[in-house]
Amino acid sequence: MSSEVAARRDAKKLVRSPSGLRMVPEHRAFGSPFGLEEPQWVPDKECPRCMQCGAKFDFLTRKHHCRRCGKCFCDKCCSQKVALRRMCFVDPVRQCAECALVSHREAEFFDKQLKVLLSGATFLVTFGHSEKPETMVCRLSNNQRFLLLDGSSRHEVEIARISAVQMLSEGFPPGGGNARATGMSLQYPAPGAEGVTQLKLTAGEDANGSRRQATAWLAAMHKTTEPPAQLCSGSRTQDSKPPVGDSGLLRAQ
């Protein structure tokens, strides 16, 4: 990828919406697959009462719109201002209690797991039915749209085109708990190829810490397919497809 193309993919611009300032991709086609569009606000005339507690709006009880769901609430039910990274807001914005809870959980992904995905890790990578794996560094692109694999060859996998994800694991720790992640299998339609292509990432065994980094990268990638209610909860799903809409951080474009 040329530096000019990479710069174009990562270019941002500041825009003002009814909800606040947003730093969005300069070109819509390069938006993050983790993003969400701003919701349509429920028209003021259609909500004479708070949509949570039922309080009647008047001169003293003012109505507020949640920036995440667009519904109308009184100040008591919509008083929290929380960062909403998935809509690219520069500052924390007003959200109802239910949406604020989801946004708080997602914030951990953006503050912790996303950094791990961007920094990358080393894996043994197998394409399709090849029997010979290649040592490659896999990381998320800066605009979060692609998995970049660098080794003796270079590949890109568009996140939004991944059709299935299977986490590979082994064993269970004493006393119960989650199995240790050892790799990941992805399926996606490769440009110019018929059907789907399978890509397998396996954490190698070594003593220089790359295995630990690879395991952390796999755990972070798994977070992208968990529903927001399960983020940070440590729940485990072995097989999953990138969810559609707001059921997970990955969404259909």
Side-chain angles (χ1 to χ4, degrees), residues 24-101:
V24 301
E26 188 169 309
H27 303 280
R28 184 181 178 87
F30 296 141
S32 169
F34 302 137
L36 288 176
E37 297 292 337
E38 286 189 83
Q40 290 287 334
W41 282 11
V42 175
D44 288 348
K45 62 182 180 181
E46 294 182 11
C47 53
R49 295 178 178 273
C50 173
M51 300 178 77
Q52 176 65 40
C53 70
K56 184 177 180 180
F57 296 124
D58 53 28
F59 182 74
L60 296 177
T61 305
R62 299 183 60 188
K63 67 182 62 174
H64 301 277
H65 284 87
C66 171
R67 270 51 176 176
R68 184 173 182 124
C69 68
K71 296 179 181 179
C72 289
F73 302 92
C74 65
D75 183 69
K76 181 179 179 181
C77 295
C78 194
S79 61
Q80 298 186 61
K81 289 192 175 182
V82 182
L84 186 44
R85 300 274 291 277
R86 294 183 70 184
M87 290 185 191
C88 304
F89 285 110
V90 174
D91 300 309
V93 292
R94 187 183 291 270
Q95 298 179 54
C96 65
E98 183 176 351
C99 286
L101 180 61

